Amino acid sequence: MRHLNLGMRHADTGAVVRCLSTGGSVISAQPVQKFGNNPVDVRDTDHYTEEYVPSFVEKWDSLIDWDRRSESEGTFFIDMLRERGVKKVLDVATGTGFHSVRLLEAGFETVSADGSGEMLAQAFANGLKHGDHILRVVQADWRWLNRDAHGEYDAIVCLGNSFTHLFSERDRRKALAEFYAMLKHDGILVLDQRNYDAILDRGYSSKHVYYYCGEDVAVEPEYVDEGLVRMRYSFPDESVYHLNMFPLRKDYTRRLMQEVGFQRIETYGDFQHTYRTERPDFFIHVAEKEYIAADEQTGPAAPATGDGEYAGAVGTARDYYNSSDADAFYWHVWGGEDIHIGIYDRPDEPIAEASRRTVARMAGKLDLTESSVVLDLGSGFGGSARYLAETYGCRVVALNLSEVENERHRALNAERGLTEAIEVLDGSFERIPLPDNSVDVVWSQDAFLHSGNRARPLEEAARVLRPGGHLIFTDPMAADGCPAETLRPILDRIHLETMGSPGFYRHELARLGFTAVGGGFQEHREQLITHYARVLEETRRQEADGLTEHVSADYLTHMKKGLSNWVDGGTNRHVTWGIFHFTR
């Protein structure tokens, strides 16, 4: 790949544009797209250079429609970069220059890179056309970006669904690692993609509002499978072009970013953060490089404002519960407001009724009053918090790691007039953002399971409890003495290496100075079996009634397997569940 330093002098532009547009030593123009005898077999990262032939590139701007795209996108990217203090940007998927030009107009120092010389030629011409900007362009392959481009950047933007040109996971990891390396220590990567989850699971649809806004161009997938989406672009002159792209699933993309090293990742749908009940056409991931060291994450009252604290198992749980699939599944199937194991009077009882009975049974063990302060760890959608506030008049602080669940929680509180009674905090129970001796009750339901260090939330509970305060919680656990290998199907499903057990919790609570109330632990293993069986039954029933409109088929397949594993584990006495009650 060749580095093209175009400089900043108008006198240079004519020669540069001629060189880029006529081929020369920089570009090998391909007059016709070539996919061979079987186009759906073309699944190679390097093939994109042959797909962006000159005649297709010439039509690209009519596909985008710069004016309509500017209107639909607004100032989303500009505002986001300014809020983070960004000054220097590397646009690694320049295309015909839409975002590079907008970034330059907004005052950002911008370098424009692309793997297609044809695209760069058009981008350079567009820079002159739209505001007399002279783009600094680099023809570069992302997998060797540090070789072809130079310097450190506050932000790298990879837009226009471009990352889906990479067909192997090795290439994707390599490209992300190159992006990471070129960012400053606190830099950000902004990467977008089509909503391939929806295309794969439910078929193609488009609002035709974002990204490809041209009204006289027809865009649709011609072929779709888990390894290829072949897009067809039809223009008014009856010309037709294709692009072969890899259908990246949203959560897979987020996971790759995390594994490369990005610590905080926010995902937007069609420029909105609260898109969970919608079906966006595009996802936008904003990944932050900033490293938060372990010693910076400690401290009893440190605010839970960054994602750096969501490490290991807790980080995995957060990503899971933030996913649109999990959010929809737990709301529609698991029980609505209460997303924990229920206590059933009969096997066919509605899940929501049994789940609420668990809340009432636990609350009945406490002497709550209007002056009580309850801390709910892993509060989910807030069903327990609302029950406690409405039934006893107490104040509840609800700490939960899923911002998506917390949004729904706050909205439901507002509907019920409980905003003042319940404070919803984004954060981890491994680092509770409250001072010592500040609450009367620590309450948790089926949440400690997700900690990679389950002693830590117990230590935090001991710290924030006032003398004489109560700790009451439930958790799905391994049975005492159960060999770890028998739990492997369950552990693999929930991405954990171990589980707690009744003996583990008793030992840790005794170490921390807690005293058992009424024996300390009431085991209800049979309720675990009944609950997971009911959820599995309800999943199958709703699936037959169109649940895949809300939850992907792939998610449901894995969920049904996971639920079956829990039922088998309970039946074989490998796992158990119950209510712990201790005082300090």
Side-chain angles (χ1 to χ4, degrees):
M1 297 296 177
R2 179 172 300 183
H3 182 257
L4 304 175
N5 186 354
L6 299 191
M8 298 299 292
R9 292 179 293 115
H10 285 272
D12 296 338
T13 61
V16 169
V17 173
R18 283 196 299 275
C19 175
L20 287 173
S21 62
T22 59
S25 62
V26 179
I27 300 167
S28 292
Q30 296 288 337
V32 179
Q33 287 186 320
K34 296 179 180 179
F35 288 93
N37 294 329
N38 190 355
V40 300
D41 282 345
V42 179
R43 304 178 184 213
D44 176 45
T45 296
D46 293 316
H47 192 264
Y48 77 93
T49 58
E50 300 178 35
E51 295 174 16
Y52 289 106
V53 297
S55 56
F56 189 21
V57 172
E58 290 172 2
K59 298 178 182 295
W60 197 258
D61 289 333
S62 64
L63 171 66
I64 293 175
D65 191 325
W66 283 40
D67 291 337
R68 291 189 66 209
R69 184 163 181 175
S70 294
E71 182 180 353
S72 66
E73 183 178 297
T75 58
F76 176 86
F77 294 112
I78 303 300
D79 293 343
M80 180 180 59
L81 295 174
R82 283 176 174 163
E83 287 171 2
R84 289 165 169 80
V86 168
K87 292 181 173 60
K88 189 175 181 180
V89 182
L90 175 61
D91 180 1
V92 296
T94 296
T96 57
F98 174 79
H99 283 106
S100 285
V101 170
R102 294 206 77 193
L103 290 168
L104 287 168
E105 289 177 342
F108 295 100
E109 181 183 346
T110 306
V111 174
S112 306
D114 202 283
S116 166
E118 293 291 348
M119 282 290 196
L120 286 176
Q122 187 66 41
F124 193 85
N126 280 336
L128 296 174
K129 176 182 176 181
H130 297 274
D132 202 28
H133 300 288
I134 300 179
L135 270 61
R136 297 167 56 197
V137 303
V138 181
Q139 188 174 353
D141 188 312
W142 297 334
R143 295 165 293 182
W144 296 277
L145 187 62
N146 282 264
R147 179 194 67 188
D148 299 327
H150 306 288
E152 284 189 325
Y153 296 85
D154 302 309
I156 291 177
V157 297
C158 181
L159 304 176
N161 192 44
S162 302
F163 200 66
T164 59
H165 285 302
L166 301 177
F167 271 88
S168 75
E169 180 165 318
R170 182 179 181 181
D171 287 341
R172 290 188 282 273
R173 289 182 181 274
K174 183 67 167 69
L176 287 173
E178 292 285 303
F179 296 163
Y180 188 92
M182 294 200 72
L183 286 169
K184 294 181 180 178
H185 74 281
D186 57 352
I188 63 169
L189 168 65
V190 184
L191 183 151
D192 67 14
Q193 63 173 100
R194 277 191 183 274
N195 184 354
Y196 288 110
D197 293 77
I199 293 173
L200 291 169
D201 298 332
R202 308 171 198 174
Y204 177 74
S205 67
S206 175
K207 304 181 185 73
H208 194 59
V209 173
Y210 307 103
Y211 284 76
Y212 306 115
C213 302
E215 293 184 338
D216 59 350
V217 185
V219 181
E220 60 184 351
E222 188 173 87
Y223 177 89
V224 175
D225 67 29
E226 288 285 347
L228 174 71
V229 169
R230 179 170 168 81
M231 297 298 294
R232 174 188 175 97
Y233 303 84
S234 303
F235 294 88
D237 62 1
E238 299 185 353
S239 61
V240 176
Y241 298 88
H242 295 84
L243 291 176
N244 281 12
M245 292 175 282
F246 183 85
L248 292 164
R249 289 190 178 272
K250 172 175 66 70
D251 291 339
Y252 167 80
T253 306
R254 288 172 53 89
R255 176 172 64 80
L256 286 185
M257 289 177 166
Q258 286 183 318
E259 291 177 357
V260 166
F262 291 100
Q263 290 202 11
R264 176 184 173 90
I265 303 168
E266 295 292 339
T267 299
Y268 300 79
D270 290 343
F271 309 108
Q272 301 296 318
H273 192 269
T274 54
Y275 64 88
R276 305 296 171 173
T277 60
E278 302 296 329
R279 182 177 170 177
D281 287 342
F282 290 86
F283 292 118
I284 301 161
H285 308 290
V286 182
E288 298 185 4
K289 179 177 179 178
E290 182 176 8
Y291 181 71
I292 302 177
D295 59 357
E296 295 174 354
Q297 298 180 36
T298 58
T305 56
D307 285 17
E309 69 187 276
Y310 299 113
V314 170
T316 300
R318 175 176 178 263
D319 289 339
Y320 172 75
Y321 286 109
N322 267 343
S323 72
S324 55
D325 277 334
D327 183 59
F329 179 82
Y330 283 92
W331 181 254
H332 289 285
V333 179
W334 198 278
E337 289 189 73
D338 297 307
I339 51 176
H340 48 256
I341 291 173
I343 295 177
Y344 292 77
D345 280 347
R346 62 182 193 279
D348 62 344
E349 187 173 14
I351 296 170
E353 292 182 16
S355 299
R356 180 49 55 91
R357 184 175 293 111
T358 304
V359 179
R361 183 77 58 86
M362 292 172 63
K365 297 177 180 293
L366 306 169
D367 296 322
L368 294 173
T369 68
E370 292 183 357
S371 63
S372 300
V373 178
V374 179
L375 171 62
D376 184 358
L377 299 179
S379 53
F381 296 138
S384 300
R386 283 185 291 278
Y387 176 88
L388 296 173
E390 289 178 329
T391 305
Y392 297 97
C394 57
R395 177 173 174 263
V396 182
V397 179
L399 180 68
N400 195 49
L401 51 73
S402 168
E403 294 88 353
V404 174
E405 290 180 345
N406 291 346
E407 288 173 4
R408 193 189 294 272
H409 185 169
R410 293 185 184 100
L412 292 170
N413 290 348
E415 290 176 6
R416 304 256 278 270
L418 294 171
T419 299
E420 297 300 320
I422 303 172
E423 181 182 6
V424 182
L425 300 178
D426 300 335
S428 168
F429 49 45
E430 293 184 352
R431 182 167 160 249
I432 298 173
L434 295 178
D436 297 356
N437 305 319
S438 57
V439 302
D440 302 296
V441 174
V442 173
W443 170 294
S444 184
Q445 292 178 267
D446 305 347
F448 293 159
L449 169 75
H450 294 297
S451 175
N453 177 14
R454 294 176 196 90
R456 181 62 179 164
L458 300 181
E459 292 167 352
E460 282 289 88
R463 178 181 65 78
V464 300
L465 272 174
R466 294 176 179 139
H470 289 252
L471 169 63
I472 189 164
F473 68 95
T474 63
D475 208 39
M477 299 165 287
D480 287 326
C482 178
E485 59 270 18
T486 63
L487 301 173
R488 183 50 52 194
I490 293 175
L491 293 173
D492 287 346
R493 162 65 188 161
I494 55 180
H495 304 289
L496 291 173
E497 293 300 319
T498 64
M499 296 172 68
S501 66
F504 165 81
Y505 283 120
R506 287 182 182 276
H507 177 270
E508 290 299 314
L509 291 169
R511 177 180 68 85
L512 293 168
F514 283 94
T515 301
V517 177
F521 176 58
Q522 294 182 354
E523 186 170 20
H524 296 288
R525 180 181 57 83
E526 74 287 350
Q527 296 293 348
L528 177 147
I529 300 170
T530 301
H531 182 81
Y532 282 107
R534 279 289 294 113
V535 175
L536 178 58
E537 177 186 22
E538 185 65 15
T539 301
R540 289 168 172 161
R541 184 190 70 78
Q542 291 197 33
E543 190 174 19
D545 292 340
L547 182 59
T548 51
E549 287 295 315
H550 305 286
V551 184
S552 73
D554 181 66
Y555 179 93
L556 292 176
T557 296
H558 287 88
M559 175 57 76
K560 288 183 291 185
K561 179 61 176 174
L563 293 169
S564 296
N565 289 339
W566 279 107
V567 173
D568 293 342
T571 302
N572 295 327
R573 296 182 178 272
H574 295 156
V575 295
T576 190
W577 178 84
I579 302 172
F580 289 88
H581 186 194
F582 285 73
T583 188
R584 179 171 166 78

